[in-house]
């Protein structure tokens, strides 16, 4: 006989339990990481979570073969890698100390931090290691000096199988009060909505946003809103025009009009190559957002 709803409730299984209890933050020595760390801390305070820092670098080889015709040495020597990893760790741990966050203790859950001990790692490692965290927090990859690299964001999006939080350059004054779901009916956005459920359940207002003549075949925004209401999320659906056929701009504009402080969106419904040449909503939002964005692929 299946357990009763009362028994499930007593075991803590009658409610959604997919909370964001573990958060990974990749750190670069030259990067402007404070906004990443501030957003990670907002998440961790919300869910009483563990934050782990990881020193990251582009996918350079440690040593290039000496028989290459031009004989170019690796841009990072083993000594460089040790120094960079140390600098990344000092920045991360200095931030946590300034915020009075406790270092994690073995076997104890709750708001705390830790550091990955394995030195300087590449983007490929981040993509694999992020699979055991509830989310990875990265910065906005707008191509400017010191910001998160797009390759780091894409490693997290394509390889972790988990939602990725994009931190805007500035620290948000509020977070998750008004959430907008950019609904294009795609598999990627459905995954993003699932990953965002802990935050959507806490939001004061949730808007399922559709643009006219945008997206792929699938259920409507009204149907998604109905599904969310079954989870006690007071979601509403709206459809707005996009006469310029620039969905990324239209989404961010509507978010600003709604007072949105969390955008939920699927990443790369179109291929990365197509977006590189022709543009796309994902690319525009990644480069221009001024609010936190939760994405999934």
């Amino acid at each position: 006989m299946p357990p009763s709803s009362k028994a499930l409730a007593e075991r803590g299984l009658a409610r959604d339990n997919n909370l964001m209890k573990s958060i990974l933050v990749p750190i670069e020595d030259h990067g402007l990481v404070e906004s990443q760390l501030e957003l990670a801390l907002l998440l961790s305070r919300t869910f009483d979570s563990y934050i782990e820092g990881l020193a990251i670098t582009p996918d350079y080889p440690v040593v290039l073969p000496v028989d290459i015709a031009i004989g170019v040495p690796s841009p990072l020597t083993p000594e460089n890698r040790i120094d960079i990893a140390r600098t990344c760790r000092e920045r991360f741990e200095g931030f946590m100390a300034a915020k009075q966050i406790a270092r994690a203790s073995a076997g104890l859950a709750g708001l705390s931090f830790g550091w990955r001990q394995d030195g300087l790692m590449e983007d490929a490692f981040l993509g694999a290691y992020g699979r055991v965290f509830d989310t990875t927090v990265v910065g906005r990859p707008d191509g400017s000096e010191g910001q998160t690299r797009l390759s780091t964001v894409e490693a997290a999006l394509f390889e972790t199988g988990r939602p990725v939080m994009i931190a805007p350059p500035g620290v948000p004054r509020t977070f998750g009060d008004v959430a907008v779901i950019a609904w294009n009916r795609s598999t990627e956005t459905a995954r993003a909505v699932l990953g965002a459920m802990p935050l959507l359940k806490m939001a004061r207002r949730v808007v399922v946003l559709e643009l006219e003549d945008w997206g792929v075949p699938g259920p409507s925004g009204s149907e998604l809103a109905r599904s969310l209401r079954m989870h006690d999320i007071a979601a509403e659906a709206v459809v707005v025009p996009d006469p310029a056929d620039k969905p990324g701009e239209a989404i961010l504009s509507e978010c600003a009009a709604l007072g949105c402080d969390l955008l939920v969106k699927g990443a790369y419904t179109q291929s990365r190559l197509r977006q590189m040449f022709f543009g796309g909503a994902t690319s525009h939002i990644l480069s221009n957002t001024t609010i936190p964005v939760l994405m999934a692929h």
Side-chain angles (χ1 to χ4, degrees):
M1 172 179 281
S4 68
S5 59
K6 180 180 178 181
L8 287 173
E10 289 174 350
R11 288 156 51 185
L13 299 176
R15 65 184 189 277
D16 290 322
N17 260 335
N18 54 333
L19 302 180
M20 295 181 176
K21 300 295 289 185
S22 59
I23 300 165
L24 181 63
V25 185
I27 305 294
E28 286 208 60
D29 67 316
H30 69 280
L32 305 174
V33 299
E34 283 68 30
S35 62
Q36 282 177 259
L37 292 170
E38 291 284 1
L39 183 57
L41 189 55
L42 281 172
L43 278 171
S44 65
R45 290 192 191 279
T46 299
F47 297 111
D48 200 29
S49 309
Y50 166 73
I51 308 172
E52 184 164 304
L54 169 72
I56 199 77
T57 185
D59 291 327
Y60 294 134
V62 177
V63 178
L64 290 177
V66 294
D67 58 351
I68 291 180
I70 56 175
V72 178
S74 170
L76 295 179
T77 66
E79 292 76 16
N80 291 151
R81 296 175 71 90
I82 292 171
D83 290 342
I84 291 170
R86 182 186 302 114
T87 300
C88 293
R89 179 172 185 170
E90 289 172 353
R91 292 188 69 178
F92 177 81
E93 294 187 341
F95 176 90
M96 293 299 166
K99 299 294 183 178
Q100 298 182 321
I101 307 302
R103 190 180 298 275
S105 300
L108 296 179
L111 177 58
S112 59
F113 77 90
W115 181 257
R116 174 78 188 193
Q117 300 288 339
D118 288 345
L120 190 62
M121 310 305 292
E122 282 75 25
D123 292 330
F125 178 87
L126 169 69
Y129 190 50
R131 296 168 194 162
V132 294
F133 288 82
D134 294 323
T135 188
T136 299
V137 178
V138 297
R140 187 181 78 178
D142 58 18
S144 61
E145 182 69 23
Q147 292 290 359
T148 299
R149 290 172 291 103
L150 181 59
S151 61
T152 300
V153 176
E154 291 185 341
L157 282 171
F158 283 93
E159 300 300 333
T160 65
R162 302 298 182 99
V164 177
M165 289 293 308
I166 315 298
V171 179
R173 290 180 296 176
T174 60
F175 171 60
D177 185 46
V178 178
V180 169
I181 300 169
W183 181 243
N184 65 353
R185 302 175 292 279
S186 68
T187 303
E188 293 81 7
T189 305
R191 292 189 183 114
V193 171
L194 179 62
M197 286 298 284
L199 292 165
L200 297 177
K201 290 180 73 68
M202 302 177 73
R204 175 179 59 84
R205 185 183 184 192
V206 175
V207 177
V208 180
L209 172 66
E210 288 186 282
L211 305 180
E212 293 178 354
D213 302 318
W214 177 63
V216 299
S220 68
S222 295
E223 289 170 310
L224 173 61
R226 180 188 65 185
S227 175
L228 293 173
R229 289 194 291 270
M230 295 177 185
H231 292 268
D232 298 320
I233 297 170
E236 59 191 282
V238 299
V239 181
V240 300
D242 179 22
D245 193 25
K246 294 182 177 180
E249 292 182 20
I251 290 166
L252 291 182
S253 176
E254 192 66 20
C255 284
L258 291 166
C260 166
D261 56 6
L262 172 65
L263 174 60
V264 177
K265 187 188 178 303
Y268 295 116
T269 300
Q270 296 178 322
S271 71
R272 280 182 291 179
L273 184 61
R274 179 178 175 82
Q275 294 217 16
M276 184 185 303
F277 286 105
F278 300 106
T282 298
S283 295
H284 182 84
I285 290 169
L286 283 175
S287 297
N288 295 278
T289 184
T290 57
I291 57 175
V293 182
L294 184 147
M295 285 188 168
H297 178 72

